[in-house]
């Protein structure tokens, strides 16, 4: 393959790459934060429903 053809293909392939400035580390931190928020909300909902049922929990 000639050099010009390689360069053309390289440029063409770069056009379709998603442009994301978010690093993998940031994505992992965001995922962990969402899981923690969901867990806290679920625990709060269970605590609230049990306290409304008349249970003394702490």
């Amino acid at each position: 393959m000639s050099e010009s053809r390689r360069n053309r293909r390289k440029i063409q392939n770069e056009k379709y790459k998603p442009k994301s400035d978010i690093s993998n580390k940031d994505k992992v931190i965001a995922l962990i934060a969402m899981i923690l928020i969901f867990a806290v909300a679920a625990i709060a909902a269970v605590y609230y429903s049990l306290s409304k049922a008349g249970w003394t929990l702490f």
Side-chain angles (χ1 to χ4, degrees):
M1 208 183 294
S2 69
E3 187 177 354
S4 62
R5 185 172 176 199
R6 266 186 274 138
N7 288 337
R8 257 198 332 250
R9 284 183 159 209
K10 190 163 97 175
I11 291 170
Q12 186 179 15
N13 287 338
E14 287 176 358
K15 289 180 186 176
Y16 299 110
K17 289 184 182 176
K19 297 188 179 191
S20 176
D21 293 338
I22 303 171
S23 68
N24 282 340
K25 181 181 175 184
D26 291 338
K27 288 179 185 178
V28 169
I29 291 171
L31 181 66
I32 291 171
M34 286 190 289
I35 290 171
L36 285 175
I37 290 170
F38 178 77
V40 168
I43 291 169
V46 169
Y47 178 77
Y48 180 75
S49 66
L50 289 178
S51 67
K52 283 292 185 181
W55 289 28
T56 54
L57 294 174
F58 288 107

